């Protein structure tokens, strides 16, 4: 049996690499998805050794299936299946793990099985690959910019197809620029646009007097205080948000961004009740904070160049932008008694980033429902949303707060 496995491993492309120091097993996955007919075929094969339909078969029977039917599978994935069979100390292989692998989905138990496996097939690091096209070098660069584990970097490099593209961050950025240019022309002001007396007269900005118009808790991101405000947010969205969306997908990065935006406006409605809110800083700070926290927490694993300098520059830029927002908030208002827009949305975004955002970025291609921290932070976030909704309904009247007049 061992000779057969060695021969099969030599014939196929290496898919599991071990670092000489850490002796970690690296997984390389191809982009093919298991067709439904083939999945049904393998279910029938599994059922031959699983008459009670438990979903598990012995590793011995799994080896029999691989030897007799493994030629039907992609050789990269077959190598990983060999490692999976070798690594199961309980003597059983789960059919769902097999399906997850073939459809590019990895559970925590599957990753642990691979990392703890005894089979080690060495291959050169992704950075040592030569003869790559420009697009391949870009994908490799993004993998090293965003992912701390070589396993995940190879998995991403091997499986990324560019479809769907990172449309969310690009679409949001285009809309933000379009609205800014439109209102800049209408108000005839682009620098410190927020100081124009008619700035608040639009249907997008969150205003405490108009908090019943629920869309304003999200739509405020399309209005910015000025070109200096818009410029930094757009730069961060494109330089950090787009690569993260390419790696983690639109659903996850879009969730972090929108959760930060919503947390930002609701945080203002609770902590800075008289103030309006503008700008996409809540969403931007959620993404950037999650990314920076992920880098710091995985410092030794992150292989991006000049990471210390880049983290420092990012923190300086965020601090300068936050300082500008604080200064503007307490600067004498152009439309007294309504103050200038609040800075609290930035803090709401940061809190989302270092909680929900970090959990998402640390679990590339893993099922979030398997993560206890995910459920803890998600529950806290939902509790905050619920509290903020009731606060907006009842607190303003109970506190008898005098709000600024309608714009």
């Amino acid at each position: 049996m061992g000779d057969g496995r060695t021969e099969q491993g030599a014939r196929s492309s290496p898919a599991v690499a071990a670092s000489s120091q850490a002796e970690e097993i690296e997984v390389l996955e191809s982009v093919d998805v298991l067709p439904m007919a083939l999945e049904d075929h393998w279910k029938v094969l599994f059922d031959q050794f699983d008459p009670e339909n438990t979903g598990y078969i012995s590793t011995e029977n799994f080896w029999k299936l691989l030897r007799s039917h493994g030629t039907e599978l992609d050789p990269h994935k077959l190598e990983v299946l060999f490692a999976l069979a070798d690594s199961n100390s309980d003597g059983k292989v789960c059919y769902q793990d097999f399906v997850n692998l073939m459809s590019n989905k990895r559970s925590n138990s599957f990753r642990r099985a691979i990392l703890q496996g005894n089979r080690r097939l060495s291959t050169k690091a992704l950075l040592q690959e030569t003869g790559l096209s420009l697009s391949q070098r870009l994908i490799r660069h993004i993998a090293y910019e965003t992912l701390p584990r070589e396993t995940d970097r190879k998995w991403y490099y091997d499986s990324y197809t560019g479809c769907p593209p990172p449309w969310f961050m690009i679409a949001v950025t285009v809309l933000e620029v379009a609205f800014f240019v439109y209102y800049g022309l209408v108000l005839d002001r682009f620098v410190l646009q927020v100081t124009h007396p008619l700035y608040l007269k639009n249907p997008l900005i969150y205003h405490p007097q108009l908090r019943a118009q629920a869309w304003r808790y999200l739509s405020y991101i399309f209005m910015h205080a000025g070109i200096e405000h818009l410029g930094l947010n757009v730069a961060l969205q494109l330089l950090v948000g787009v690569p993260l969306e390419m790696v983690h997908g639109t659903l996850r990065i879009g969730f972090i961004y929108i959760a930060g935006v919503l947390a930002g406006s609701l945080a203002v409605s609770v902590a800075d009740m008289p103030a309006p809110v503008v700008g996409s800083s809540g969403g931007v700070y959620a993404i950037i904070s999650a990314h920076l926290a992920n880098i710091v927490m995985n410092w030794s694993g992150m292989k991006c160049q000049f990471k210390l300098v880049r983290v420092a520059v990012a923190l300086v830029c965020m601090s300068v932008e936050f300082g500008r927002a604080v200064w503007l908030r307490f600067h004498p208002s152009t439309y007294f008694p309504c103050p200038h827009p609040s800075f609290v949305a930035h803090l709401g975004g940061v809190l989302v980033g270092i909680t929900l955002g970090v959990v998402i970025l640390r679990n590339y291609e893993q099922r979030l429902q398997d993560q206890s921290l995910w459920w803890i932070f998600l529950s806290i976030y939902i509790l905050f949303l619920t509290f903020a909704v009731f606060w907006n309904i009842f607190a303003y009247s109970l506190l008898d707060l005098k709000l600024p007049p309608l714009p």
Side-chain angles (χ1 to χ4, degrees):
M1 183 184 300
D3 294 339
R5 281 180 279 172
T6 304
E7 181 182 356
Q8 176 65 57
R11 287 200 306 266
S12 60
S13 300
V16 182
S19 167
S20 57
Q21 290 93 7
E23 296 184 343
E24 290 183 342
I25 294 181
E26 311 294 355
V27 181
L28 182 59
E29 163 94 17
S30 75
V31 301
D32 300 326
V33 177
L34 187 65
M36 183 56 66
L38 185 56
E39 181 177 335
D40 292 340
H41 170 63
W42 276 88
K43 184 67 171 71
V44 172
L45 295 176
F46 265 72
D47 287 344
Q48 293 178 6
F49 301 101
D50 184 24
E52 299 180 1
N53 200 28
T54 63
Y56 292 84
I57 63 173
S58 67
T59 53
E60 180 181 355
N61 289 330
F62 187 59
W63 273 113
K64 293 179 181 178
L65 291 179
L66 292 182
R67 286 198 302 271
S68 58
H69 299 277
T71 55
E72 305 171 3
L73 302 177
D74 182 284
H76 293 103
K77 294 181 178 180
L78 188 58
E79 285 290 343
V80 181
L81 289 172
F82 287 151
L84 178 63
D86 275 337
S87 64
N88 274 272
S89 58
D90 58 358
K92 293 183 178 181
V93 174
C94 177
Y95 173 72
Q96 190 59 51
D97 277 343
F98 171 80
V99 173
N100 287 345
L101 169 67
M102 304 309 293
S103 27
N104 290 345
K105 296 177 182 177
R106 299 180 292 167
S107 64
N108 283 339
S109 59
F110 175 73
R111 167 182 265 174
R112 285 195 298 269
I114 295 300
L115 292 179
Q116 294 171 1
N118 297 319
R119 185 181 180 87
R120 300 175 193 159
L121 301 175
S122 61
T123 185
K124 57 185 176 182
L126 188 56
L127 274 178
Q128 298 174 343
E129 295 284 349
T130 58
L132 301 181
S133 65
L134 180 61
S135 61
Q136 289 175 321
R137 291 199 298 270
L138 175 62
I139 295 170
R140 181 178 65 178
H141 173 75
I142 291 174
Y144 276 92
E145 288 289 310
T146 57
L147 295 171
R149 289 179 287 266
E150 188 71 9
T151 302
D152 292 336
R153 289 192 284 261
K154 290 184 177 181
W155 189 288
Y156 167 72
Y157 175 82
D158 193 56
S159 62
Y160 183 73
T161 63
C163 185
W167 62 268
F168 176 79
M169 296 306 305
I170 294 175
V172 168
T173 300
V174 169
L175 287 173
E176 289 172 358
V177 173
F179 277 108
F180 178 78
V181 171
Y182 170 76
Y183 280 102
L185 294 174
V186 170
L187 301 176
D188 193 26
R189 184 174 299 180
F190 290 91
V191 178
L192 283 178
Q193 193 178 90
V194 69
T195 60
H196 194 284
L198 302 179
Y199 179 77
L200 295 182
K201 290 184 177 294
N202 69 71
L204 300 176
I205 292 174
Y206 167 84
H207 190 282
Q209 286 280 27
L210 300 172
R211 64 187 184 280
Q213 298 176 0
W215 71 83
R216 292 178 180 265
Y217 289 93
L218 295 174
S219 64
Y220 74 92
I221 67 171
F222 299 117
M223 296 294 298
H224 283 79
I227 195 169
E228 68 287 345
H229 186 198
L230 175 72
L232 181 60
N233 283 347
V234 164
L236 292 175
Q237 284 176 181
L238 295 179
L239 294 176
V240 179
V242 169
L244 287 177
E245 187 178 351
M246 291 175 64
V247 172
H248 296 278
T250 297
L251 186 61
R252 291 192 173 192
I253 298 304
F255 174 81
I256 297 174
Y257 189 87
I258 294 175
V261 169
L262 188 56
S265 56
L266 288 174
V268 171
S269 70
V270 172
D272 196 5
M273 297 167 70
V277 190
V278 298
S280 58
S281 297
V284 172
Y285 274 53
I287 290 177
I288 302 303
S289 298
H291 182 51
L292 293 180
N294 191 37
I295 291 176
V296 173
M297 295 170 68
N298 299 280
W299 189 260
S300 61
M302 296 298 294
K303 302 302 182 183
C304 49
Q305 293 181 328
F306 311 111
K307 56 185 174 183
L308 181 59
V309 174
R310 293 163 67 177
V311 168
V313 169
L315 290 175
V316 168
C317 290
M318 293 173 67
S319 300
V320 169
E321 160 57 20
F322 181 71
R324 180 209 60 81
V326 173
W327 168 81
L328 183 63
R329 169 63 178 85
F330 296 105
H331 189 270
S333 177
T334 308
Y335 22 78
F336 184 83
C338 182
H340 283 145
S342 177
F343 59 87
V344 176
H346 297 67
L347 303 179
V350 170
L351 290 177
V352 169
I354 62 177
T355 53
L356 289 171
V358 168
V359 174
I360 290 176
L361 298 191
R362 280 175 59 86
N363 290 280
Y364 168 68
E365 285 294 319
Q366 306 299 307
R367 292 196 296 260
L368 293 177
Q369 58 266 33
D370 294 342
Q371 312 296 322
S372 57
L373 277 179
W374 165 255
W375 292 111
I376 292 172
F377 290 141
L378 183 62
S379 299
I380 294 173
Y381 182 75
I382 293 175
L383 285 175
F384 167 71
L385 294 186
T386 305
F387 166 78
V389 168
F390 281 99
W391 180 272
N392 277 270
I393 294 174
F394 300 109
Y396 282 78
S397 57
L398 291 176
L399 295 175
D400 195 24
L401 182 68
K402 186 176 180 180
L403 294 175
L406 289 170

